[in-house]
Amino acid sequence: MAKDDALKTYKAKRNFKITSEPEEGGEAGAEGQRQFVIQKHWATRLHYDLRLELDGTMKSWAVPKGPSFDPSDKRMAVQVEDHPISYNSFEGQIPAKQYGAGKVIVWDKGTWAPIGDAQKGYRDGKLKFELHGHKLRGHWTLVRMKGKDRDDAKQPPWLLIKEHDDFERPATEYSVVDALPDSVGKRPMPGAKGARKPAAKKSAAKPAGKVALPATLKPQLATLVDAPPADPDAWLYEIKFDGYRLLARIDGSKVQLFTRNGHDWTHKLGNLAAALQKAKLPPCWLDGEIVVNNAAGVPDFQALQNAFDKSGTDAIVYFVFDLPFCEGQDLREAPLGARRARLQTLLQDVDSDTVRFSAVFDAPGRDIVLSACELGLEGVIGKRKDSVYRASRSPDWIKLKCSQRQEFVIGGWTDPKGARAGLGALLLGVHDERGALRYAGNVGSGFSAASLTALRQQLDKIAAKKSPFSAKTAIDRSAHWVAPKLIAEISFSEWTKTGSVRHPVFHGLRADKPPVQIVRERPVDAGSSAKASKAAPKPALASVLPASFKVSSPTRVIDATTGATKIDVVRYYALIAPLLLPHLKGRPVSLVRAPEGIGGELFFQKHLDKYKMPGVRPLDPALDPGHAPLLEIATAQGLLSAAQMNALEFHTWNAVKTAIGKPDRMTFDLDPGEGVAWSTMQQAAKLVHVLLKELELAAFVKTSGGKGLHVVVPLQKRDDWDTVKAFSQAIVQHLARTLPQVFVAKSGPRNRVGKIFADYLRNGFGATTASAWTLRARPGLGVSVPIAWDEVDHIDSGAHWKLADIHRRLDTGNAPWDGFAEAARSPREAMAALDFTP
């Protein structure tokens, strides 16, 4: 326990009746197991608090930029007051007006070992140590900076330096604070029972700082639910493939294919293994499903079973939907959206009908289930967009089935009747909570003559003298018993009160699961599943900058006012891709490129021209006749390619490519003239909102990243560009007539001195507006961020968030704009209310 005087400063700075921070306490680590923690702290500025257990307290340093694996990065570490050991587990919100007010998470934790005498090193100002954490490993040094003014400082400055060892990694290649931004607070201590084992140290031949590709991997499994969750914007949906789950381990030319239970099926799937070898993918684990489509193009489990029975696996297709590991990176803690963006980039150049990216549906869950059932599909899988990858069954992944369907253990069979050969029916069972096999009825339909013969041959090989079922039930006395080794896939209409299936249909045998795992599947309430999922800590975004992605001139300074470099910009777009891409989806995109950085000449690019940027696609030339094709950015790779070509800003049209002549939104760029106070800008935005509400038009707001605010109105795609532009102009003219002291309807600096021009010109054909989450090519690198209307009064400028502190906004993400698409309506009634006739 710490002595009271060691915590005197800590206690004096806090009111423990208000803050939830611990006042004292905590258990010291065992001998040789001193604890360390790094807390990510969104205070006035985002920083990282390094704490090392020493002499009964946690010696603490505030590291503004966080740790770096690059030995050439000497990170400032300002020593602050000692904290109690109990602070190691603190996560939460320090209330406003309290010392250190802001959010705190446990970013990393583990144990540390001093190299030499810890007390002497600390006193002398050169403390060498080794870290064993979830994220930080290897040798480090804290060095106190010398100088009279520094020696007497209440908060003496130190430097945190990574030493040369197997874990070092150049800053131009890897940033641990960007790549792994999430909390580890709920995870056990490294080395504790249940903790994920850290990757072994690399050999000299392996890149520094990378994790080894695991030899095995357990997949995440879905929970059966009775209905789609109530929060549709939080989920994405995929087809529930009628096939076998398959994991692929790719390491150079070696490809291994595993079932969900770890059985190696590489020898059974030679064609698929060859296709993956030909794709020349980097070292990775892929997660997906293998299927065979029937004549209607729908996955057919019986056809898949026949392919194996006849050794004709060439028709098998591998739909890949997840990427747990890739290029030395463990992506399991990254959110699903980030993993899928990386996976899509990885597979987009794979020219194969055998290996395909599994698409998702952008529609409400109920509509997707209905459509899937009408197409004859088994159902759909729902996944939380922000979910991490867990090697277990999770409420973050859910199953929604079109009909009752599951696996059963075969316990016996009956004799055929009439002209039928082979067998009459299969006797089915499931395991109860005690592990006993309970009888669940017979299935006699769904067989072909060939499958009856093949099944009889397999059953004869496992014949048994006694019934494998636990209870004496009304089972055909003439039944033939078998050892419970085979699993049948059965669909049925319902369960009877006695626990049997009604109207069962046989679909095939399964060989990818052990019989002991077969139990009666019971759907959980969708609401309880959502609650269970929300109870888990919500992961933040994770940077997934591919290790193979090369950035030219990474250390070139882009913004002299902040020191931000090109690699900082590229990493930002890797980090923000899951939030930014929905705003770019399906829209023509223009780039603002700054080859010389801010202050140099800027280039506005809206056509692909001669530039080659992987992931940036040309649109149909007919969308903009007489010009080179417009651009579309649909993947994270496209963002990174554009950033590598010095793009700082991404601007979008107010229409999507599939309806280019009918805008689906109307934008007002509130642009202040000289002398306009920020409070006037806040007032103006709220006045625009009030007018739009009176016109019964929904409105959403975001910071511009520059001087003003953007107000965006979702529209139904019914009116042409001229109509929408003219209507937006009429709104601005009405504002200028009604509130001439605030608004002006004419552009130009002279016209808007002391006033605000609500720029409606953004609503013309070919006009663009800075997208949400884009950086702005201005000193400070502001970010355009979606906000809620009740936040307008609490931001201090249109560049309230900047590249340097955007992390403090990532948890909120796009939530303030939830319901944007659903709020769209035709402006026709609003036009009439404004006395406007198109």
Side-chain angles (χ1 to χ4, degrees):
M1 299 292 291
K3 296 179 180 179
D4 287 342
D5 58 351
L7 296 176
K8 182 179 179 180
T9 304
Y10 170 82
K11 292 179 179 179
K13 290 183 174 183
R14 292 163 175 82
N15 184 344
F16 296 103
K17 294 180 179 179
I18 299 176
T19 182
S20 59
E21 297 165 277
E23 186 170 0
E24 56 190 1
E27 294 185 8
E31 184 66 27
Q33 294 289 311
R34 290 184 174 95
Q35 301 168 64
F36 89 87
V37 67
I38 296 182
Q39 278 151 320
K40 190 174 179 179
H41 188 177
W42 287 265
T44 304
R45 292 183 180 276
L46 172 67
H47 65 276
Y48 297 78
D49 292 313
L50 166 64
R51 311 191 197 282
L52 302 176
E53 180 191 344
L54 187 64
D55 295 336
T57 66
M58 301 302 293
K59 303 296 182 187
S60 300
W61 293 262
V63 185
K65 291 187 176 181
S68 169
F69 276 107
D70 191 335
S72 65
D73 280 349
K74 296 175 174 57
R75 294 291 168 87
M76 177 67 74
V78 179
Q79 188 171 5
V80 297
E81 73 276 9
D82 290 2
H83 284 51
I85 293 174
S86 57
Y87 208 93
N88 291 359
S89 60
F90 174 70
E91 288 190 311
Q93 190 79 22
I94 301 175
K97 299 184 180 180
Q98 292 297 296
Y99 178 74
K103 179 182 174 183
V104 177
I105 65 170
V106 175
W107 181 79
D108 197 16
K109 64 182 179 180
T111 59
W112 72 282
I115 300 173
D117 186 322
Q119 283 79 4
K120 184 177 186 301
Y122 176 72
R123 288 194 305 271
D124 294 347
K126 192 170 185 179
L127 181 58
K128 290 179 172 285
F129 52 94
E130 184 174 3
L131 294 180
H132 304 276
H134 289 287
K135 301 175 183 179
L136 299 188
R137 307 291 307 283
H139 292 177
W140 301 74
T141 299
L142 275 166
V143 181
R144 188 167 56 234
M145 300 175 70
K146 301 295 183 181
K148 185 177 180 181
D149 56 333
R150 293 167 176 167
D151 293 340
D152 298 334
K154 292 183 179 180
Q155 294 186 326
W158 296 57
L159 296 176
L160 176 64
I161 306 169
K162 179 74 187 73
E163 297 292 338
H164 293 289
D165 61 14
D166 286 344
F167 296 98
E168 68 179 89
R169 194 165 179 183
T172 55
E173 178 186 315
Y174 183 71
S175 167
V176 67
V177 295
D178 287 327
L180 302 171
D182 301 334
S183 167
V184 299
K186 303 299 183 183
R187 290 168 62 177
M189 287 287 281
K193 184 176 180 181
R196 183 182 299 159
K197 294 181 179 180
K201 288 188 177 183
K202 65 175 183 60
S203 66
K206 292 182 180 179
K210 294 185 178 182
V211 298
L213 191 66
T216 61
L217 179 68
K218 290 186 177 180
Q220 180 157 340
L221 304 177
T223 300
L224 181 64
V225 298
D226 58 357
D231 49 345
D233 291 339
W235 295 80
L236 57 79
Y237 293 90
E238 307 170 35
I239 289 174
K240 187 180 188 304
F241 293 105
D242 199 358
Y244 284 147
R245 185 75 170 274
L246 197 76
L247 297 160
R249 184 182 188 274
I250 301 167
D251 192 3
S253 61
K254 185 177 181 180
V255 173
Q256 293 174 282
L257 306 173
F258 297 96
T259 68
R260 55 179 278 180
N261 285 294
H263 299 302
D264 192 332
W265 277 19
T266 313
H267 62 288
K268 295 185 176 184
L269 295 161
N271 189 60
L272 174 56
L276 289 169
Q277 283 178 328
K278 185 179 178 182
K280 296 182 178 180
L281 299 173
C284 62
W285 274 96
L286 305 177
D287 190 0
E289 189 102 355
I290 54 172
V291 303
V292 171
N293 292 330
N294 60 21
V298 175
D300 186 329
F301 185 77
Q302 185 65 63
L304 177 63
Q305 186 65 51
N306 291 340
F308 280 106
D309 292 343
K310 298 175 182 178
S311 300
T313 60
D314 289 358
I316 287 177
V317 177
Y318 186 32
F319 284 97
V320 187
F321 47 69
D322 216 320
L323 185 68
F325 283 84
C326 189
E327 294 185 279
Q329 291 179 310
D330 182 348
L331 304 180
R332 290 175 293 179
E333 292 298 323
L336 175 66
R339 297 198 308 271
R340 283 186 55 84
R342 177 76 174 272
L343 176 62
Q344 186 173 14
T345 299
L346 193 69
L347 297 181
Q348 67 180 5
D349 294 327
V350 175
D351 184 16
S352 172
D353 291 332
T354 303
V355 181
R356 304 180 191 177
F357 177 68
S358 176
V360 298
F361 300 97
D362 186 14
R366 294 183 184 277
D367 294 346
I368 296 169
V369 174
L370 180 62
S371 298
C373 297
E374 289 176 348
L375 290 171
L377 300 174
E378 186 184 350
V380 300
I381 297 289
K383 298 176 181 178
R384 288 194 72 90
K385 295 176 182 178
D386 60 7
S387 63
V388 298
Y389 191 96
R390 291 284 180 255
S392 60
R393 195 171 298 280
S394 165
D396 286 334
W397 288 19
I398 57 174
K399 293 185 288 188
L400 294 147
K401 295 187 176 183
C402 292
S403 62
Q404 299 261 30
R405 180 166 170 163
Q406 71 160 75
E407 301 89 5
F408 293 83
V409 178
I410 299 174
W413 55 278
T414 61
D415 290 319
K417 295 180 179 179
R420 189 167 184 168
L423 57 88
L426 296 175
L427 279 58
L428 308 175
V430 291
H431 292 95
D432 62 18
E433 60 277 3
R434 300 188 305 274
L437 187 66
R438 298 184 65 86
Y439 176 66
N442 296 359
V443 58
S445 62
F447 302 103
S448 65
S451 64
L452 286 169
T453 301
L455 264 172
R456 176 61 184 274
Q457 292 174 352
Q458 291 178 276
L459 294 168
D460 286 344
K461 293 178 182 179
I462 56 173
K465 294 181 179 180
K466 295 182 178 180
S467 169
F469 300 110
S470 59
K472 293 182 179 179
T473 322
I475 305 176
D476 191 327
R477 294 183 179 180
S478 62
H480 304 274
W481 309 118
V482 297
K485 296 182 178 180
L486 296 179
I487 300 172
E489 178 93 8
I490 307 294
S491 63
F492 54 98
S493 60
E494 63 179 343
W495 287 92
T496 67
K497 292 181 179 180
T498 58
S500 294
V501 290
R502 193 185 301 278
H503 309 306
V505 178
F506 175 82
H507 289 273
L509 296 179
R510 296 199 74 102
D512 59 335
K513 299 181 182 179
V516 294
Q517 290 185 0
I518 306 305
V519 297
R520 177 175 172 177
E521 293 186 2
R522 300 178 186 271
V524 301
D525 176 72
S528 65
S529 174
K531 290 175 184 177
S533 179
K534 288 179 180 178
K538 181 180 178 180
L541 296 173
S543 171
V544 287
L545 184 63
S548 60
F549 188 82
K550 302 303 179 186
V551 179
S552 62
S553 304
T555 59
R556 179 165 53 83
V557 174
I558 298 297
D559 177 23
T561 66
T562 62
T565 61
K566 182 175 179 180
I567 190 66
D568 294 329
V569 171
V570 175
R571 284 208 183 101
Y572 168 75
Y573 282 116
L575 170 74
I576 214 72
L579 296 180
L580 172 54
L581 287 172
H583 295 275
L584 306 183
K585 183 179 180 181
R587 298 182 187 277
V589 176
S590 299
L591 313 176
V592 175
R593 297 171 57 230
E596 300 173 5
I598 294 172
E601 189 173 1
L602 301 180
F603 298 89
F604 193 81
Q605 179 184 343
K606 65 178 183 178
H607 300 116
L608 193 58
D609 296 334
K610 62 182 179 181
Y611 300 103
K612 292 183 179 180
M613 292 181 278
V616 179
R617 303 192 296 228
L619 289 171
D620 186 344
L623 297 181
D624 191 17
H627 299 92
L630 296 166
L631 307 179
E632 179 187 16
I633 297 177
T635 67
Q637 184 188 35
L639 286 175
L640 300 185
S641 296
Q644 158 59 16
M645 291 295 290
N646 304 301
L648 287 183
E649 298 187 7
F650 295 85
H651 292 232
T652 59
W653 286 38
N654 278 345
V656 293
K657 61 183 180 182
T658 53
I660 201 67
K662 302 291 180 67
D664 66 342
R665 65 190 185 194
M666 182 168 56
T667 301
F668 299 95
D669 179 1
L670 304 187
D671 192 0
E674 184 180 348
V676 174
W678 178 248
S679 58
T680 304
M681 173 61 70
Q682 293 167 309
Q683 179 191 30
K686 291 185 288 184
L687 289 170
V688 173
H689 187 208
V690 168
L691 173 58
L692 293 170
K693 285 178 69 174
E694 290 179 355
L695 295 174
E696 297 185 356
L697 291 174
F700 295 78
V701 63
K702 66 183 179 75
T703 64
S704 68
K707 295 185 295 182
L709 296 169
H710 293 161
V711 178
V712 186
V713 179
L715 301 176
Q716 294 176 352
K717 296 188 282 285
R718 294 187 179 181
D719 298 288
D720 61 22
W721 287 97
D722 289 343
T723 299
V724 171
K725 182 179 179 181
F727 178 50
S728 65
Q729 182 181 18
I731 291 175
V732 171
Q733 290 171 338
H734 177 78
L735 288 167
R737 287 194 304 269
T738 308
L739 299 162
Q741 69 276 24
V742 178
F743 295 102
V744 63
K746 294 182 179 180
S747 62
R750 292 184 179 181
N751 295 319
R752 61 175 189 265
V753 173
K755 299 181 180 181
I756 293 169
F757 174 50
D759 188 353
Y760 61 87
L761 301 173
R762 308 287 179 174
N763 301 306
F765 180 85
T768 62
T769 306
S771 171
W773 301 109
T774 185
L775 295 173
R776 302 307 303 272
R778 304 178 183 188
L781 289 171
V783 181
S784 179
V785 176
I787 61 175
W789 279 107
D790 59 8
E791 293 182 287
V792 169
D793 284 334
H794 304 291
I795 58 174
D796 57 19
S797 73
H800 183 81
W801 291 277
K802 301 177 178 65
L803 174 64
D805 63 358
I806 192 62
H807 278 262
R808 62 190 172 105
R809 186 63 179 183
L810 298 185
D811 278 354
T812 303
N814 286 318
W817 280 28
D818 284 350
F820 182 93
E822 293 75 11
R825 62 181 295 254
S826 171
R828 292 285 170 168
E829 293 180 10
M831 291 176 184
L834 201 61
D835 233 3
F836 172 79
T837 304

